[in-house]
Amino acid sequence: MRKAGKIINIEKNKVFIITANKEFATLEKHTEDPKIGELYAGEEFKRIAIWKYLLASAFVLILIFSIRKLYLDNKYDFSVIVDMNCSIKMEVSSSNKIKKVEGINSKGYKIKELLPLENESLSEALHMILDESIKQKYLTKAHADDGFKISIFISGNKANEPIDLSDFQKYAGTHNFKVFINNNGQAAME
């Protein structure tokens, strides 16, 4: 808003005036050398609201971190193929959550259809697959007595980080099954 009045003070880029209506106003300095006591006209000085910039910065940071988290959660870090007389391939994210499930054989496809494995943790998904394999009689006590090994093949683990499946190994052990894990060519039998 444009205002005019007599200059009562000058600071850097601001000129303080008193208008004919006896109203105080702060205007933007637009001339080189205004003098106190002269008449002066110009646009009102707009204060920069720091809280607006802080709020905008906070919003941008939250947005960046949210996008980063979504990207990392949806990025496939490695694949896991499980063979329990049913073969299932799972894509697992860096947060150890199942993102995609495929049945490799007919039994695996049936288990994929029966179980909601997506968004489960890898360990929990393996528990569910073992329970359903026993329920569907793909694995029986006879298999355990014959020394059948549950095979887990992990590929695409570029960081070559160890994947903790000890909880599942203990759980399989309660059903008398041994677990064979191959992590990018590093085999381990428990």
Side-chain angles (χ1 to χ4, degrees), residues 168-186:
F168 175 70
Q169 290 171 325
K170 289 176 191 171
Y171 185 70
T174 63
H175 294 287
N176 296 323
F177 289 103
K178 293 197 183 287
V179 178
F180 173 77
I181 300 173
N182 185 325
N183 185 2
N184 281 346
Q186 304 289 321

Side-chain angles (χ1 to χ4, degrees), residues 66-83:
S66 298
I67 290 171
R68 183 179 180 274
K69 178 156 178 39
L70 280 171
Y71 171 75
L72 290 177
D73 284 349
N74 291 315
K75 179 180 155 190
Y76 298 133
D77 278 357
F78 55 92
S79 297
V80 175
I81 297 175
V82 181
D83 185 11

Side-chain angles (χ1 to χ4, degrees), residues 29-185:
K29 182 177 171 185
H30 59 80
T31 61
E32 282 297 316
D33 201 19
K35 304 244 186 286
I36 294 177
E38 291 181 348
L39 289 177
Y40 192 81
E43 292 294 321
E44 258 190 295
F45 185 79
K46 293 179 182 120
R47 290 196 171 103
I48 299 171
I50 293 176
W51 67 270
K52 288 180 184 178
Y53 289 108
L54 292 175
L55 185 63
S57 298
F59 176 75
V60 168
L61 284 173
I62 290 170
L63 183 65
I64 288 170
F65 284 120
S66 298
I67 290 171
R68 183 179 180 274
K69 178 156 178 39
L70 280 171
Y71 171 75
L72 290 177
D73 284 349
N74 291 315
K75 179 180 155 190
Y76 298 133
D77 278 357
F78 55 92
S79 297
V80 175
I81 297 175
V82 181
D83 185 11
M84 299 184 198
N85 269 353
C86 63
S87 295
I88 297 174
K89 179 180 179 182
M90 297 177 282
E91 299 291 334
V92 184
S93 73
S94 59
S95 59
N96 213 22
K97 298 282 185 188
I98 308 297
K99 291 297 173 188
K100 185 178 174 186
V101 180
E102 292 178 44
I104 295 176
N105 61 12
S106 61
K107 294 175 184 176
Y109 183 76
K110 183 174 182 181
I111 289 201
K112 174 200 177 263
E113 295 299 314
L114 292 172
L115 298 176
L117 297 174
E118 290 184 4
N119 296 319
E120 292 289 339
S121 71
L122 178 59
S123 184
E124 184 62 32
L126 292 171
H127 281 75
M128 293 167 65
I129 293 168
L130 178 59
D131 290 342
E132 192 63 32
S133 294
I134 292 170
K135 183 178 171 185
Q136 296 293 325
K137 299 193 184 329
Y138 299 154
L139 292 176
T140 62
K141 183 166 175 16
H143 286 105
D145 293 341
D146 289 343
F148 180 83
K149 296 175 190 80
I150 296 172
S151 300
I152 300 174
F153 300 95
I154 301 168
S155 64
N157 186 2
K158 293 176 185 156
N160 211 16
E161 292 183 22
I163 296 163
D164 183 23
L165 296 175
S166 59
D167 185 44
F168 175 70
Q169 290 171 325
K170 289 176 191 171
Y171 185 70
T174 63
H175 294 287
N176 296 323
F177 289 103
K178 293 197 183 287
V179 178
F180 173 77
I181 300 173
N182 185 325
N183 185 2
N184 281 346

